[in-house]
């Protein structure tokens, strides 16, 4: 396996983004979750990340074809950036500061760079 510095940097930025997403109440943007009371939306959004991160860590440690997972996650980081751009004008979008956007764009760029090199 080649060095994956940009993949792991992107994964770290995605983990930071999920922490920032709690602060920015990202569940308010998602169809379905946006209709929930803030307390319920927060709890569901928070606990939904347990199986998501478990899956990522499991795939990185128990996968015979780790390269295909990394390739797919690189694409996900790019698509994720695109979705944030698409929903930039959403009325409940609170990702407005340079910190949030540095994390989001950084993860997307890491995914792109990892695919290219």
């Amino acid at each position: 396996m080649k060095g994956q510095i940009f993949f792991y940097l992107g994964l770290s930025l995605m983990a930071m983004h999920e922490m920032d997403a709690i602060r920015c109440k990202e569940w308010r943007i998602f169809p379905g979750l946006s209709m929930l009371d803030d307390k319920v939306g927060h709890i569901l959004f928070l606990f939904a990340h347990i199986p998501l991160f478990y899956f990522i860590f499991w795939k990185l440690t128990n996968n015979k074809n780790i390269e295909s997972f990394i390739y797919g996650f690189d694409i996900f980081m790019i698509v994720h950036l695109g979705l944030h751009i698409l929903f930039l004008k959403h009325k409940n979008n609170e990702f407005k500061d340079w910190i949030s956007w540095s994390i989001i764009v950084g993860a997307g760029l890491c995914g792109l760079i990892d695919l290219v090199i």
Side-chain angles (χ1 to χ4, degrees):
M1 178 170 73
K2 66 180 181 171
Q4 298 290 338
I5 188 169
F6 289 103
F7 167 76
Y8 285 108
L9 178 58
L11 178 60
S12 298
L13 289 168
M14 288 298 294
M16 284 180 61
H17 168 64
E18 295 311 318
M19 288 185 258
D20 191 43
I22 298 293
R23 177 185 67 88
C24 292
K25 300 176 174 87
E26 190 173 28
W27 60 88
R28 293 178 175 176
I29 300 172
F30 285 100
L33 287 179
S34 63
M35 296 184 302
L36 298 173
D37 170 71
D38 252 2
K39 184 172 181 161
V40 175
H42 172 251
I43 291 168
L44 287 174
F45 186 80
L46 181 66
F47 282 99
H49 285 80
I50 294 170
L52 291 174
F53 278 101
Y54 177 85
F55 174 76
I56 292 167
F57 297 139
W58 182 78
K59 290 299 268 184
L60 289 172
T61 57
N62 294 298
N63 192 351
K64 293 186 189 321
N65 192 2
I66 194 170
E67 290 291 329
S68 64
F69 174 76
I70 289 173
Y71 177 81
F73 200 85
D74 285 338
I75 291 170
F76 169 74
M77 289 189 283
I78 297 165
V79 169
H80 177 264
L81 169 59
L83 289 170
H84 272 279
I85 292 169
L86 182 67
F87 286 96
L88 185 61
K89 301 285 185 192
H90 190 282
K91 67 178 181 165
N92 293 325
N93 186 348
E94 294 186 24
F95 295 101
K96 301 290 185 186
D97 61 14
W98 69 270
I99 296 170
S100 294
W101 278 96
S102 296
I103 295 167
I104 295 165
V105 171
L109 287 175
C110 284
L112 180 64
I113 293 168
D114 193 53
L115 284 176
V116 171
I117 61 170

